[in-house]
Amino acid sequence: MADTPRDADARYRATFHQSPASTVVYDHLGHPIRVNPAFEQLWGTRLEDVPPGYSVLADPQLAAAGVIPELQKAFSGTAVTLPALPYDIASVTGAGRTLWTQATVYPVFDGQGRVVEVVLSHRDVTRERLAHDRANRLLAVARGLGDALTPEDVADVIFREGLSALDADAGSLSLLHYDDNGEPTEFEIVRDTGYTAGTVALYRRFPLVAGRPLTTTALTRSSVLVESFEQWTERFPATVDAIRATGYEAFAAVPLIGEGQVLAGLSLSFRGPHFFDDGVRVFLESLAALGGQALVRGRLYANERAARERSESILRDARLLSDAGQLLASSLDYQATIGSLVRACVPAIADWCAVDLVRDPDPAAWPPQLERVAIYHQDPEQLRIAAEFQEKFPTDWERDSAMSKALRHGEATYVPVITDEMLAASALDEEHLGFLRRLHFRSAIIIPLEARGARLGVLTLCMTDSERHFDDRHLSIARELAYRAAVAVDNSRLYEGERRARADAQAANLAKTAFLANMSHELRTPLNAIGGYAELLETGVRGPISAPQRADIERIRHNQRHLLSLINDILNFARIETGRIDLQLEALDVDQAISQLEGLIAPQLRAKGITYRLRQLSPGARVVADEDRMRQVLLNLLSNAVKFTGTGGIIEVTSVRVDDRVEITVADSGIGISVENMDRIFDPFVQVERRLANPVEGTGLGLAISRDLARAMNGELSVMSEVGGGSEFRLTLPAAP
């Protein structure tokens, strides 16, 4: 039996109402005329909620999505399928949900083939779409975390993507801190949005407290999701009032875990109830895993970068100290070296550097008189301001200032951060404060320069326009620089004092030598006259003389010759000291020169019964020397050997060539010289072993003159001796070719 139209219409309506698919029927003008229960259940609204005059063909959301032309095809008689798109039905009806749906639209014709109705069937693809979006979001998170290097960059990515993915109204990211035993102690908020300033300030750092969701997250290492106030009351009753006061309801706390440890917690808040489906939970778990790994990597990078920066800082510091040492050791002119040091410090460790030295480092002299030896800043205008400041406001030594502490008590002043309040508190008046502000002080170190217990000055280092601040590393470097600068200044002043003392001594010595020379010249004239008159008397020019008178005249002549010899020694010494001795260097036969000396000392040898030996180990050896001066040196050595050798002793003269030198040795078996006196025997006017039991005449200039003559001839005179074992004097001269 064929269906009647009534039967067909009944079946159509039954199918429409029983269909699980959300369906809405429009008239030919696009006005909704029927919806099925599935529609109401899916969208959370009713047909009666649609405002009069609404037409799907004029829907602004669909127009914005660009699907109105496709809809018009259905109203023209062609079935169409629309792309998946989001739709907020509440914007039309005032109630309902926002869903992602894909619609199939097909026309309904009357018997004449005219479109009388259009049926639109929705397929809810919200979960699929959210899953797709979350997958894309996770990919974006992974890419962002892959590019993030520092913990700060990682925190930015996690916080931004977590908020956006769940469309949260507020949130925070908190780092979890641990104690020395590895136990979690407190959270510290490092990122936040949506909460009031008071709430953030209250919870900037907060301890782990049982019964709070973020604490539960840290202790259980799992997410805590609270969808409504009912769940707050059920799970965290102690926090309900505080949560209501914030204006938020739903909440998510997600742990970021890395290397088996909770590193941070991500908190998300929602103004109303919020359902966390399985897709959301999976997304949050994935976000937590990626974030934890990225935080570990970021910390490793930060640690490596910090270690590299520390290493580079150590190298820079070592280079600065090395350069400072070289600069300070390059010259004894501390004015120049301190200036170089000050310039080397800027900008390496400071923006300002200055050194002030005390003119008289006597601690009893107060207040000290300071001299600014060097000051440097890269900006000449700042140097001008500093000079004007110092002129207008000299140091008040009665105040307890950093300079006063440094020089009175040896105390260093270290101010890591200088605030404007600190400047205002230390200012004398408004003008003084204005200068301090113009100099832009941000950090300061003032260190005393101390050496050998004396405070020599002050090293001042300041940070200004670079916005840097000093730390303990800078303080250590400043102390080392101050120590090195103090030693350099002290050494320079010691050297200068010694140089002046030496110059004064040399001037006094030259004056003494000139006096001796003048005195000797004045004495030679009467002595020569005495000798001449004695000789006239001895010849009988004034008449015959008796034997006793002749003996007296001989004594006069003997003492005259002795005095003349002493005066000649003094004159020779004076000439050598003043550099007025003339030398005629030539090649001389050593054997011949030594042989000529024996006849000069033979009477003294016979008188004391001394055995004289000559050993010529290098026959034909020749030296480059002045003949008279060489003879003078050797005769002095032989005369001394005779003086200090007892009766029956031995004197031996040896000559030998050694490489490019010739050594002439005069050895005796005399009384010898003690070790403590061997360095003194070559000093002028020194006579050792001069005793009443063994008186030795002379001025004490013989050996001093002999060594100076040897050195003037490019040679040397040395001695080896021991008490009771005799002495050995060695004259070394250059060998002639």
Side-chain angles (χ1 to χ4, degrees), residues 28-346:
H28 69 284
L29 296 177
H31 302 127
I33 56 177
R34 289 188 300 278
V35 298
N36 67 354
F39 176 92
E40 293 178 346
Q41 182 178 6
L42 176 65
W43 290 100
T45 190
R46 300 174 304 164
L47 180 62
E48 292 81 2
D49 298 328
V50 177
Y54 169 81
S55 172
V56 72
L57 295 175
D59 188 294
Q61 292 186 68
L62 299 179
V67 297
I68 296 296
E70 290 297 308
L71 276 175
Q72 290 173 338
K73 289 180 182 179
F75 281 86
S76 298
T78 303
V80 296
T81 299
L82 300 180
L85 53 86
Y87 191 82
D88 177 17
I89 203 168
S91 66
V92 177
T93 64
R97 303 182 181 91
T98 299
L99 299 173
W100 278 83
T101 61
Q102 187 173 28
T104 300
V105 191
Y106 52 90
V108 178
F109 302 96
D110 63 9
Q112 286 76 37
R114 293 174 298 183
V115 176
V116 293
E117 294 180 351
V118 172
V119 179
L120 188 150
S121 178
H122 300 100
R123 184 171 70 88
D124 184 6
V125 295
T126 301
R127 289 192 177 185
E128 297 173 18
R129 188 68 190 192
L130 290 177
H132 176 73
D133 288 347
R134 287 166 186 155
N136 288 337
R137 183 74 67 179
L138 284 176
L139 288 175
V141 171
R143 286 193 296 269
L145 293 176
D147 295 335
L149 293 177
T150 67
E152 292 76 14
D153 295 338
V154 172
D156 287 338
V157 173
I158 296 172
F159 187 59
R160 180 180 66 248
E161 298 299 336
L163 280 170
S164 177
L166 272 69
D167 197 22
D169 298 307
S172 66
L173 182 67
S174 305
L175 298 180
L176 182 57
H177 296 287
Y178 290 78
D179 61 20
D180 294 338
N181 297 320
E183 295 296 326
T185 57
E186 65 176 4
F187 280 103
E188 178 188 5
I189 296 177
V190 294
R191 298 290 185 278
D192 68 89
T193 187
Y195 301 118
T196 64
T199 299
V200 174
L202 181 63
Y203 293 101
R204 176 64 65 189
R205 298 182 76 100
F206 57 95
L208 273 67
V209 177
R212 292 182 178 176
L214 203 56
T215 297
T216 302
T217 292
L219 298 178
T220 63
R221 302 187 181 185
S222 58
S223 298
V224 172
L225 305 175
V226 184
E227 297 178 337
S228 63
F229 283 128
E230 289 76 12
Q231 290 189 10
W232 277 110
T233 303
E234 178 184 346
R235 300 177 61 184
F236 305 102
T239 63
V240 173
D241 292 340
I243 293 300
R244 288 185 185 277
T246 65
Y248 298 104
E249 184 171 354
F251 180 79
V254 184
L256 304 182
I257 301 174
E259 296 184 338
Q261 189 178 62
V262 177
L263 305 177
L266 175 64
S267 301
L268 303 172
S269 294
F270 304 84
R271 293 199 177 278
H274 192 89
F275 175 67
F276 300 102
D277 59 23
D278 292 341
V280 171
R281 296 172 187 268
V282 170
F283 173 81
L284 290 176
E285 290 176 2
S286 301
L287 179 66
L290 289 172
Q293 295 170 7
L295 277 177
V296 170
R297 188 179 67 251
R299 287 185 174 183
L300 290 174
Y301 171 81
N303 292 339
E304 187 275 334
R305 184 177 64 178
R308 183 173 64 251
E309 290 176 351
R310 284 194 299 271
S311 176
E312 291 173 352
S313 296
I314 292 172
L315 288 176
R316 286 195 301 270
D317 296 346
R319 190 177 301 113
L320 174 62
L321 292 175
S322 174
D323 292 344
Q326 293 179 9
L327 288 172
L328 294 171
S330 64
S331 170
L332 285 169
D333 179 6
Y334 67 79
Q335 298 270 0
T337 57
I338 292 297
S340 299
L341 172 65
V342 165
R343 286 188 292 275
C345 289
V346 177

Side-chain angles (χ1 to χ4, degrees), residues 9 41 62 65 72 102 188 282-283 326 372 414 421-422 444 462 480 511 519 524 540 547 625 668 672 699-700:
D9 182 65
Q41 182 178 6
L62 299 179
Q72 290 173 338
Q102 187 173 28
E188 178 188 5
V282 170
F283 173 81
Q326 293 179 9
R372 174 146 288 177
Y414 168 40
E421 291 76 13
M422 296 168 66
C462 295
E480 181 64 22
M519 181 193 69
R524 281 172 65 107
D668 63 60
T699 59

Side-chain angles (χ1 to χ4, degrees), residues 521-599:
H521 280 293
E522 294 297 326
L523 291 176
R524 281 172 65 107
T525 300
L527 282 174
N528 286 331
I530 291 172
Y533 283 112
E535 186 176 355
L536 288 174
L537 290 174
E538 189 176 25
T539 59
V541 172
R542 303 299 183 185
I545 57 175
S546 63
Q549 289 174 328
R550 189 176 296 278
D552 291 338
I553 292 173
E554 180 57 31
R555 292 189 186 96
I556 292 172
R557 294 189 62 192
H558 173 78
N559 284 285
Q560 180 266 342
R561 287 192 298 269
H562 177 64
L563 284 175
L564 192 59
S565 174
L566 295 178
I567 289 172
N568 286 334
D569 282 348
I570 293 174
L571 284 173
N572 284 330
F573 174 73
R575 291 192 187 100
I576 295 172
E577 284 285 291
T578 56
R580 292 184 295 177
I581 186 170
D582 295 325
L583 298 176
Q584 300 295 325
L585 299 180
E586 56 182 326
L588 302 174
D589 186 283
V590 175
D591 296 341
Q592 181 180 352
I594 296 175
S595 298
Q596 294 174 352
L597 296 175
E598 184 177 359

Side-chain angles (χ1 to χ4, degrees), residues 340 466 534 674:
S340 299
S466 69
S674 63

Side-chain angles (χ1 to χ4, degrees), residues 500-512:
R500 290 177 180 174
R502 187 170 61 249
D504 292 344
Q506 289 175 346
N509 194 45
L510 290 175
K512 175 199 69 177

